[in-house]
Amino acid sequence: MNNVLLPGARQAVEIKRRRTDRETGITTVYAVVSLTAEQATLLQLARLICDHWKIEALHHVRDITFAEDASQLRTGNAPRAMAAWPNLAVGALRPSGVKNVASGLRRNAREARRPLALLGLA
């Protein structure tokens, strides 16, 4: 990869993403990594990329549903403490089959016993 103009680059990967939410589409993106082929095979790189997008998907839900990026909390333990509540909500709703976290929150807010039952406390 002597032609890549990024210092430390060892591999480049083309990724085709297929999505089928409202409409079907294919997006092509590229990843450049500092790991050699001996350090990470294509299968290992694919796993790393999938794991990264799982984390990004959680952050997307937290930002869209809870407006986390708009938070003014920046110092001390406040950001971590405030992130715990959305993590609890998403962590409780997803295993129960909720696909849309905002909708699940509204449904649980309508009746005081639902969140307790969701957490196994009622």
Side-chain angles (χ1 to χ4, degrees), residues 41-114:
T41 65
L42 285 177
L43 182 59
Q44 290 169 320
L45 288 177
R47 285 190 186 130
L48 288 171
I49 292 164
C50 284
D51 289 346
H52 169 78
W53 282 106
K54 287 178 189 173
I55 293 167
E56 287 299 317
L58 173 61
H59 285 289
H60 177 75
V61 167
R62 285 174 29 183
D63 185 40
I64 297 301
T65 305
F66 299 98
E68 203 169 72
D69 286 352
S71 173
Q72 302 265 329
L73 300 173
R74 303 272 188 263
T75 59
N77 291 324
R80 183 178 303 154
M82 293 308 293
W85 297 112
N87 286 342
L88 174 66
V90 173
L93 291 169
R94 286 284 163 86
S96 69
V98 172
K99 300 283 187 224
N100 184 316
V101 173
S103 174
L105 290 171
R106 286 190 299 271
R107 182 179 186 280
N108 279 281
R110 288 187 204 113
E111 188 180 325
R113 289 192 179 112
R114 278 190 189 141

